[in-house]
Amino acid sequence: MWYAIIGQDTPDSLDKRTAARPAHLVRLQALQDEGRLLLAGPFPAVDAVDPGAAGYTGSLIVAEFASLQAAQEWAAADPYAAAGVFRQITVQPFKKVLPA
């Protein structure tokens, strides 16, 4: 089943995010290589593709896991969580409808 993982950033976490990003991307690439990643990306803090020093407010990952518990465990082990980028992580089932 698909699960939406929403990480909400702590204030002023851009430096932590930048430092942890390579390890974070390795985990996302592994999901993609396994065909389990639907989409992933950050939420810019301002209305711009590159928010610069404004940074980001969080991230969204939609990926396939065997269970809600497996998705929660994967999210909790993310480098952004370990580095203190995320202040809160929400994981919930997601039903993909479109595109078919």
Side-chain angles (χ1 to χ4, degrees):
M1 179 164 195
W2 295 108
Y3 292 89
I5 299 169
I6 302 164
Q8 296 178 333
D9 286 14
T10 59
D12 302 315
S13 61
L14 184 57
D15 289 341
K16 292 178 184 177
R17 177 182 273 273
T18 301
R21 186 171 190 264
H24 172 75
L25 292 178
V26 166
R27 294 182 86 234
L28 291 175
Q29 186 63 54
L31 287 177
Q32 182 174 328
D33 292 348
E34 296 167 4
R36 297 172 42 210
L37 182 65
L38 183 63
L39 62 90
F43 299 117
V46 295
D47 188 13
V49 173
D50 181 356
Y56 300 91
T57 61
S59 296
L60 169 65
I61 300 164
V62 180
E64 189 174 33
F65 293 93
S67 66
L68 177 60
Q69 181 177 347
Q72 290 169 329
E73 290 171 359
W74 187 93
D78 190 84
Y80 283 175
V85 174
F86 292 151
R87 66 176 170 83
Q88 179 178 346
I89 301 173
T90 303
V91 181
Q92 59 191 58
F94 179 81
K95 182 178 176 183
K96 180 181 179 284
V97 176
L98 293 171

